Amino acid sequence: MPKLEVLVSTFGAAGLRRMLESDPPHVEGVRYLVCCQNPSGEDVLPAAEALHSRGDTDVLFFKDRGLSRNRNHSLDMSAAPYLLIMDDDVRLEASGLEEIIRCFDERPDLDFMALRVETGDRGRRAFPPSGHKLHRPWRCYHTISFEIALRRSSVEAGHFRFSILAGIGAPRLGSGEEELFLHRMSKAGLHGEYLDIQLGVHPAPTTSDRSALLPEVVRAKGAVMRVLRGPLRALLRLPLEAKRSKMPFFKALRHLVEGYVYSIKHRREL
């Protein structure tokens, strides 16, 4: 039984090929669980067999859509005591995976952690100091989904899952699923910290940077703001966020308000 499972969510044959190209390191105690959504019935067997031949990788297939739904598939199918949420195009470093195991082994109080991946985003995040408690906001910092490591027993005790109403492929909110996920765990009293551990490199821009002009991504910001900041603080901040958006002000404000209202209607599901 591995100590750490890397939970890779991907889509179709192209996603499996990206996973092969990223060539994740072979590390003692680490296994890769790849959940591949293939609703169109593409020919995915060649890439899947190549991944299986590594000896440390399992590939499972699902016929549905939605990244958060796929993240949940990987959580449902996981078995190792420690888990790392991952995408198919992050170039992981062995030392980072080993550090996750060491930290969880040495810190039984730690339920989840946020780590660091170098990304191709144009904007810069201001990382908090190592050991920062994740229930406290840090200016200009947000966690990306492939930077989240979890103690599986803590996640299963509260049956925490990603909201299928947020993330790529969701009906109205195109991002923000990781922030909602971490917020629910912190609100429930789980202990999480940011640890300054370099996991690897994501050379391309992330969804929030690459898709900043998409209505569903702007809506997601409005929804997440209300959940994390509370109704009044978020409402007062909407004009400022609209001004900062790459969209024209009134168009951005409309989508932010749509997300804000959507989060009220679906507050139990987010």
Side-chain angles (χ1 to χ4, degrees):
M1 173 69 71
K3 296 199 80 170
L4 171 66
E5 268 182 311
V6 180
L7 308 181
V8 181
S9 295
T10 191
F11 192 95
L16 293 179
R17 288 194 294 269
R18 281 194 298 273
M19 176 69 181
L20 280 169
E21 291 168 3
S22 68
D23 192 24
H26 294 271
V27 179
E28 184 178 355
V30 175
R31 191 156 189 86
Y32 299 91
L33 176 62
V34 182
C35 289
C36 178
Q37 291 173 309
N38 186 27
S40 302
E42 298 177 28
D43 182 11
V44 293
L45 285 180
E49 289 173 354
L51 286 168
H52 275 299
S53 70
R54 287 172 47 96
D56 63 353
T57 304
D58 296 313
V59 184
L60 304 175
F61 295 104
F62 302 89
K63 293 184 178 181
D64 51 20
R65 296 176 182 269
L67 178 57
S68 289
R69 196 182 299 274
N70 206 17
R71 299 277 193 221
N72 293 341
H73 289 323
S74 68
L75 290 171
D76 292 341
M77 303 305 296
S78 65
Y82 312 143
L83 309 172
L84 175 64
I85 307 297
M86 190 46 55
D87 285 352
D88 55 35
D89 54 354
V90 176
R91 298 191 177 276
L92 292 166
E93 299 174 7
S95 59
L97 300 177
E98 292 166 346
E99 279 293 292
I100 292 173
I101 295 174
R102 184 188 65 79
C103 288
F104 275 135
D105 280 348
E106 294 180 357
R107 295 280 308 278
D109 64 308
L110 202 57
D111 297 305
F112 62 99
M113 63 177 97
L115 310 161
R116 178 167 49 84
V117 171
E118 182 182 334
T119 71
D121 287 0
R122 291 180 290 273
R124 295 193 57 152
R125 285 184 293 164
F127 288 94
S130 193
H132 173 75
K133 308 297 188 295
L134 288 171
H135 71 276
R136 295 166 48 204
W138 188 265
R139 184 175 171 80
C140 297
Y141 170 73
H142 64 278
T143 306
I144 303 172
S145 55
F146 49 66
E147 296 175 324
I148 300 171
L150 308 162
R151 189 182 299 273
R152 194 172 72 88
S153 60
S154 301
V155 173
E156 290 306 301
H159 196 67
F160 295 102
R161 293 295 186 271
F162 287 86
S163 172
I164 61 173
L165 295 186
I168 296 172
R172 297 286 286 169
L173 309 179
S175 63
E177 70 278 11
E178 58 271 85
E179 292 172 276
L180 296 169
F181 181 71
L182 294 180
H183 176 73
R184 284 197 302 275
M185 290 196 293
S186 293
K187 192 175 179 181
L190 270 64
H191 179 63
E193 295 182 11
Y194 168 78
L195 298 177
D196 191 25
I197 296 170
Q198 173 76 18
L199 264 183
V201 177
H202 184 274
T206 60
T207 300
S208 59
D209 185 69
R210 184 180 64 249
S211 307
L213 288 172
L214 294 179
E216 58 266 33
V217 172
V218 181
R219 274 190 223 108
K221 179 166 285 191
V224 170
M225 283 172 58
R226 192 201 68 81
V227 174
L228 269 59
R229 294 174 178 268
L232 182 58
R233 287 182 62 204
L235 188 63
L236 294 174
R237 191 177 175 85
L238 290 179
L240 176 60
E241 290 298 326
K243 185 177 179 180
R244 290 177 173 176
S245 175
K246 297 176 183 179
M247 273 186 180
F249 176 82
F250 287 107
K251 186 176 182 181
L253 184 60
R254 175 167 62 88
H255 291 311
L256 287 166
V257 171
E258 287 172 350
Y260 180 97
V261 173
Y262 186 86
S263 75
I264 296 173
K265 293 179 178 178
H266 298 276
R267 55 189 175 276
R268 294 184 179 179
E269 301 155 276
L270 292 173

